[in-house]
Amino acid sequence: METIYSKSVPGRRTTGLAPDPVKEGAAAFLPEGCLRKGLPGLPECSELDVVRHFTQLASKNFSVDGNFYPLGSCTMKYDPKINEVAAGLTGFTSLHPMLAQLANGQGCQGAMHVLYTLERSLCAITGMEAFTLQPMAGANGEFTGVAIIAAYHKSLGRDRRIMLIPDAAHGTNPASAAMAGFTVVELPSKDGMIDPEAIRAAIEKYGDSIAGLMMTCPNTLGLMEVHVKEIVELLHGIDALVYYDGANMNAILGKMRVGDAGFDVVHLNLHKTFATPHGGGGPGAGPVGVCERLIPFLPSPRITRKADGSYEFLTDAPQSIGKIGPFYGSFGVLLRAMAYIWRLGGEGLERVAEYAVLNANYMRVKLKDVLDIPYDRLCMHEFVASAPHGLRALDLAKGLLERGFHAPTIYFPLLVHECLMPEPTETESKQTLDAFCDALADIVAKGREHPEELAAAPHGLPVTRMDETEAARGMHLTEDM
Amino acid sequence: MPYIPHTEAERDAMLKTVGVASLDDLFVDIAQDLRPKSFLASAGLPEQEVRTLCEELAARNTRVLSFLGAGFYDHYIPAAVDALAGQSAFVTAYTPYQAECSQGTLQAIYEFQTAIARLTELDCANASLYDGGTALFEACTMCVRSAKKRTKIVLDEGINPIWRRMLATYARNLPVDFVLVPLKNGVSDKEALKAAIDDETAGVAVQNPNFFGVVDDYSDVFAAARDKKALSVISVNPVLLSVLKTPGAMGADIAVGEGQPLGQPLDFGGPYLGLMACKKALVRQMPGRLVGRTHDTEGRTGYVLTLQAREQHIRRSKATSNICSNQNLCALRALVYLSLMGPQGLRDVAENSIANAHLAAREIVNGIEGASLLNDAPFGNEVAIRLPVPADVLVQRCLVRHKCVPGYPAGRDFEGMENVLIVACTEKNTEGQVGILLDAIRDVIAWIGQDELCQARG
Amino acid sequence: MSNPADLKYSKSHEWVRVEGDEATVGITAFAQDSLGDITYVEAPAVDDTVSAEGECGSIESVKAASDLVSPVSGTVVAVNEALESAPEVINKDPYGEGWIFRVKVSELSGDLMDAAAYDAFCEQEGH
């Protein structure tokens, strides 16, 4: 499809979106040396040109609203429309964030109630003592969490440089740890789990240079870590902190609170567990919860409720790691998550975990004879499988696209051969799961007979497979003028 | 159960397939003593009640007449931005890993990258970062990575204090050393900036217009950086780029900025949009997603995520950054906004905002006794004015008495600036609003005068 | 796979050809094959000092990245500039046109293999 730039016609525009040109342009106020030469090369289009262009673009996407989207570790559940209505209210959208700081929260009490209530709700859901809503995505929350761990050890005059991370962790974990100045030591998994013996060995070797451990639970194979208590005890034994990556929180809502289990820091992905839309890659939100002794290190400002029931921001926190985002987090995203939590309540959230896990296990059993399932046991909200009979995970993924299903996550975790990782979420019906499993069975059967046809999939979509090598070597990242 | 479609019969059938007796049996791997003793106590609400609750809370926020900017501006957002960026095929998709079913998102990112590169007159732009502050931080680490063994970043004090605080947070445990070059009465001290750039310097970072609204040309500072083999970073306001000398024209290596003015509501602090563009030679040092143009097996043009070897899922602890998303929907809003406005429309927004700020400055200086411009430097849509009263008190009183926020009190971040108010205008703050602002300031100054008189009398 | 007999090989899949006091370095056929289509080579610059078993650059493909580890210590005297615009040369001719840099050697890594040993090493790694 042509780009918006190629649809541009010199001189065409939609008037009345901006005010009329002023008599005294910028040249009247600014020296010539500070001015731009010529206009920027933006599209010159009518409003209908623009509307049609972006409507046609939208039709080239799969989405949760249009397709089953079982992308593992992404929790692509249905995003309720009421959340969008709430987030679109002018009383929220028009609010300048600095207003709250200028007059001690006056004029912003409604928005601050949302922030405070969400923070308290997340505490109740996770068992943590306090939350910051500032982090603007999951990875941003990870950085916040490990920066808090660094600040904690520094405050005690310790030089702890090592962060333990299981080999199956998401790539963001080691990248976030590195940004906070840590050296990453990878822990080998055993039977798909963190092996307490590997932690003992690491403690033996590195002793009290270990600052902490980052773990995802259920882990990236979709399995519950069964040694949680032992792992936490081992690390606490050397006063190292345990970080909970909340990527897979959807599986344990109401079934386990990470605070009760002894985790010291946790980040949640509101765009996964709490049904805010993924937006094609963002914006998300990655609030971070901490245990009591880490509260002083949380980013500033923090919100508090005064005796008279009104809210204010506190900025006086000498040990705070500082500012993670410009204000109080991605408010629009936080508000959607709050609306979701209000709608579901505690009981509704517990049902989420139950049906997410039921759906994943149902699919796992239904696909037993279709795919190779390396961990043939109860899974949590997702599971891993290998493409069978020498077929490639990539080809199965493309075959699914051709049949109107988004593909599961593929080639992650790396330690599973030709890996597919489906995560159905609780919002999908049995009929959808059945149809998906049937399609996959059909793809595998046909792929065995005619591998060359599967290798050419998908057909019937806006494009066929793309030449990624050409993209990387050619580096055409912008349209030429 | 909202949003869970299973009938009881289906649930039972599925449990049977799985081979467990009850839903709780699916959780045998969570030890009983780890089960929660308490959980979120509140009950779920019907949709209607959630809507009412949210509407009531929204109504508890005060609608104000605002001249507050400080990096975040209330421009008009055309109706088509919400309509187009709100399409559920954009909203409820995820990262375009599977290119064949994500061409909508991918092509939009490519067009966004193009728009930002053209606005800044640099070679390429990424798919966006979280906000202006993290974009600035990432630009600083790009400088340090490129310079190999150099760690010093020269920072102009005119950079938004919020972002400077973010830099301190993010760089705290990294080998990056910031050297702050103070402003002179709200204006960049370019000689001091040049003098601060030495053989240890990885990069220099400035903001245009700066926090006080001052517009400058940093070409000579960037040339000095080039002489020392250091990189130049400039933080920009993308709307004003339609009239201001561009990062490319000034010889900057990296441009960053807060993309909020491009069609994003203020939304009490986010989500916002981090912009980043750079010269081609630096593209592999650039963090974040990138989309490239290529062809499919039938020779048709299409788009894919590219140069992923820079990113965390491949490089892990050696990645350019830990970011694994972009502010995609915000970037889409910005692209739709720019497409609707076009080059002339964007310039009209900028020139009206600038003209309104000059009108406001003139009116306040002429109409308020004891008020004067902080300096005589050229300014854009924001201007610093010295008042006869503390700006913080003025702002609070204006809000309470007139539901008007006259600007940002500079004394909150700059010593000796207690009486300085930074007044921002967009195209919305026209003559009539300036008139109301003037009345409000006049009234509050009189009130403060009386109050002081009362206090003096005891 | 035929690894030339006149070269030495490292465990991180670089090859080195020593001629007098100079050595030429590249990556092996096994390495380019596991990376896939190579899209970018970050080589050290002329006059850089490299140290044996130290990272001195990286190789990128569409889906992977791999550190370039120098098998020798010394000063870089030449870099294969052709790779800048045509990194695919490494895929086509890893032991010839696809060489990456040349060093004036001060010391070889002690841990290098001959072709036979490297063949066996790849056999082990690959399967």
Side-chain angles (χ1 to χ4, degrees), chain B residues 282-326:
Chain B
L282 290 170
V283 67
R284 281 170 201 281
Q285 299 297 342
M286 183 153 62
R289 286 188 180 145
L290 278 170
V291 167
R293 191 180 73 228
T294 182
H295 294 92
D296 72 358
T297 55
E298 293 174 16
R300 288 174 297 203
T301 297
Y303 305 87
V304 291
L305 291 172
T306 193
L307 301 186
Q308 295 185 69
R310 302 163 297 115
E311 294 186 64
Q312 47 75 30
H313 61 280
I314 291 177
R315 275 267 164 84
R316 299 180 79 87
S317 65
K318 288 179 180 169
T320 47
S321 165
N322 70 338
I323 193 165
C324 86
S325 57
N326 66 328

Side-chain angles (χ1 to χ4, degrees), chain A residues 190-202:
Chain A
K190 192 180 166 196
D191 304 326
M193 304 270 177
I194 295 180
D195 178 8
E197 286 314 311
I199 296 179
R200 280 200 187 88

Side-chain angles (χ1 to χ4, degrees), chain A residues 101-426:
Chain A
Q101 295 166 16
L102 293 182
N104 226 359
Q106 276 183 70
C108 310
Q109 288 296 308
M112 291 171 81
H113 178 82
V114 171
L115 294 177
Y116 184 83
T117 311
L118 179 59
E119 199 185 306
R120 296 322 304 164
S121 302
L122 296 179
C123 286
I125 290 165
T126 58
M128 305 308 287
E129 284 298 322
F131 261 84
T132 173
L133 305 175
Q134 256 184 55
M136 296 167 280
N140 200 221
E142 288 179 27
F143 170 76
T144 307
V146 289
I148 288 171
I149 293 177
Y152 168 75
H153 288 303
K154 248 183 207 167
S155 76
L156 297 170
R158 297 169 176 165
D159 184 29
R160 296 207 179 190
R161 296 289 178 85
I162 288 176
M163 187 62 72
L164 304 178
I165 298 179
D167 53 5
H170 294 120
T172 49
N173 286 181
S176 301
M179 267 175 80
F182 289 111
T183 303
V184 173
V185 170
E186 214 171 71
L187 292 177
S189 312
K190 192 180 166 196
D191 304 326
M193 304 270 177
I194 295 180
D195 178 8
E197 286 314 311
I199 296 179
R200 280 200 187 88
I203 291 174
E204 182 86 7
K205 187 166 176 193
Y206 301 105
D208 55 16
S209 345
I210 297 172
L213 162 78
M214 297 178 82
M215 67 184 277
T216 307
C217 177
N219 64 27
T220 57
L221 298 167
L223 302 177
M224 187 65 206
E225 291 284 354
V226 293
H227 305 294
V228 167
K229 279 196 296 183
E230 191 179 353
I231 292 165
V232 170
E233 275 166 21
L234 279 171
L235 286 146
H236 284 177
I238 54 165
D239 198 27
L241 302 180
V242 193
Y243 183 98
Y244 177 89
D245 179 325
N248 295 340
M249 182 79 190
N250 211 47
I252 62 165
L253 288 168
K255 298 298 176 189
M256 175 180 136
R257 300 201 313 168
V258 292
D260 302 344
F263 287 93
D264 302 287
V265 193
V266 48
H267 91 262
L268 303 177
N269 297 289
L270 299 189
H271 45 285
K272 297 180 183 175
T273 316
F274 297 96
T276 75
H278 283 70
V288 168
V290 294
C291 62
E292 188 155 14
R293 63 187 162 150
L294 298 180
I295 291 175
F297 306 101
L298 283 171
S300 175
R302 299 206 50 228
I303 193 167
T304 181
R305 185 185 184 136
K306 292 191 283 190
D308 66 358
S310 68
Y311 303 100
E312 67 177 347
F313 285 113
L314 298 178
T315 50
D316 179 32
Q319 288 188 295
S320 162
I321 58 165
K323 257 184 154 4
I324 287 294
F327 298 103
Y328 333 108
S330 295
F331 181 80
V333 179
L334 303 173
L335 173 57
R336 286 174 173 87
M338 190 66 252
Y340 178 72
I341 292 171
W342 274 326
R343 183 88 173 83
L344 265 65
E347 198 195 331
L349 288 173
E350 194 176 343
R351 296 290 94 77
V352 163
E354 289 170 350
Y355 283 86
V357 174
L358 174 65
N359 275 0
N361 277 292
Y362 178 75
M363 267 176 87
R364 178 182 58 81
V365 172
K366 291 261 299 182
L367 289 170
K368 254 185 196 173
D369 300 329
V370 176
L371 302 173
D372 293 337
I373 312 274
Y375 303 96
D376 188 15
R377 40 166 295 183
L378 275 181
C379 65
M380 297 300 279
H381 64 303
E382 64 191 6
F383 62 97
V384 293
S386 291
H389 315 298
L391 293 170
R392 295 170 66 206
L394 182 72
D395 293 336
L396 298 186
K398 301 304 183 192
L400 283 166
L401 301 184
E402 196 170 87
R403 287 164 172 80
F405 298 104
H406 197 280
T409 293
I410 51 172
Y411 299 110
F412 182 85
L414 301 168
L415 37 106
V416 178
H417 180 67
E418 290 293 332
C419 184
L420 296 118
M421 185 210 267
E423 178 186 3
T425 84
E426 73 283 1

Side-chain angles (χ1 to χ4, degrees), chain C residues 35-80:
Chain C
L35 279 165
D37 285 351
I38 288 166
T39 55
Y40 180 69
V41 179
E42 187 201 345
V46 171
D47 291 338
D48 276 4
T49 316
V50 294
S51 52
E53 294 172 46
E55 283 168 25
C56 64
S58 64
I59 318 273
E60 288 178 15
S61 65
V62 172
K63 296 282 183 202
S66 153
D67 289 325
L68 183 62
V69 179
S70 182
V72 296
S73 297
T75 309
V76 177
V77 293
V79 173
N80 186 354

Side-chain angles (χ1 to χ4, degrees), chain A residues 1-5 13 20 22 26 29-30 33-36 39-41 43 53-55 57-58 60-65 69 74 76 79-80 91-96 98-99 101-103 106-108 110-111 125 137 139-140 143 154 169 171-172 175-176 178-181 229 251 254-255 257 277-283 320-324 326 329 331-332 342-346 355 359 377 398 427-428 431 464-467 470-472 475-481, chain B residues 1 3 5-6 10-11 14 17 24 27 29 33 35-36 38-40 42 44-45 57-58 61-63 68-70 72 87-94 98 100-105 107 110-111 113-115 118-119 130-131 162 166 169-170 172-174 217 241 243-246 266-272 280 291-297 300 302-304 306 312 316-317 322 325-329 335 342-345 347-348 351-352 358 379 396 399-400 405 409 412 427:
Chain A
M1 185 176 137
E2 286 192 339
T3 65
I4 189 80
Y5 301 97
R13 59 178 302 206
D20 293 339
V22 283
F29 303 111
L30 298 169
C34 289
L35 293 176
R36 178 179 192 122
L39 286 165
H53 179 73
F54 287 100
T55 304
L57 274 189
K60 294 176 188 300
N61 268 4
F62 277 15
S63 64
V64 172
D65 279 7
Y69 212 121
C74 298
M76 302 299 290
D79 309 314
F92 294 121
T93 57
S94 65
L95 208 51
H96 197 298
M98 276 178 175
L99 192 59
Q101 295 166 16
L102 293 182
Q106 276 183 70
C108 310
I125 290 165
N140 200 221
F143 170 76
K154 248 183 207 167
T172 49
S176 301
M179 267 175 80
K229 279 196 296 183
K255 298 298 176 189
R257 300 201 313 168
H278 283 70
S320 162
I321 58 165
K323 257 184 154 4
I324 287 294
F331 181 80
W342 274 326
R343 183 88 173 83
L344 265 65
Y355 283 86
N359 275 0
R377 40 166 295 183
K398 301 304 183 192
T427 58
E428 297 297 337
Q431 289 73 22
T464 55
R465 292 193 202 191
M466 308 300 298
D467 187 340
E470 180 198 335
M475 281 213 284
H476 299 294
L477 307 174
T478 57
E479 180 112 324
D480 294 333
M481 288 284 267
Chain B
M1 290 180 294
Y3 320 127
H6 306 60
E10 283 171 343
R11 177 198 62 199
M14 291 168 80
T17 304
D24 204 54
F27 294 86
D29 284 338
D33 57 351
R35 298 302 178 93
S38 70
F39 191 57
L40 186 69
S42 56
L45 299 175
L57 288 169
N61 302 318
T62 316
R63 186 108 183 127
L68 184 57
F72 309 89
Q87 294 178 93
S88 72
F90 288 128
V91 175
T92 73
Y94 198 31
Q98 300 289 345
E100 299 87 341
C101 67
S102 312
Q103 285 298 302
T105 295
Q107 184 171 330
Y110 175 81
E111 292 177 0
Q113 289 172 181
T114 302
R118 290 183 181 187
L119 265 180
Y130 303 129
D131 80 309
I162 292 178
M166 287 174 68
T169 304
Y170 279 88
R172 184 188 274 211
N173 300 299
L174 294 177
D217 175 6
L241 267 191
V243 297
L244 297 184
K245 187 166 181 178
T246 62
L266 287 163
D267 221 354
F268 205 49
Y272 289 160
K280 199 148 201 170
V291 167
R293 191 180 73 228
T294 182
H295 294 92
D296 72 358
T297 55
R300 288 174 297 203
Y303 305 87
V304 291
T306 193
Q312 47 75 30
R316 299 180 79 87
S317 65
N322 70 338
S325 57
N326 66 328
Q327 296 290 91
N328 196 61
L329 218 48
L335 173 65
Q344 191 58 50
R347 174 169 284 190
D348 289 344
E351 292 201 315
N352 272 279
H358 283 78
F379 60 92
Q396 293 188 32
L399 182 62
V400 173
V405 188
R412 292 198 162 217
E427 77 278 21

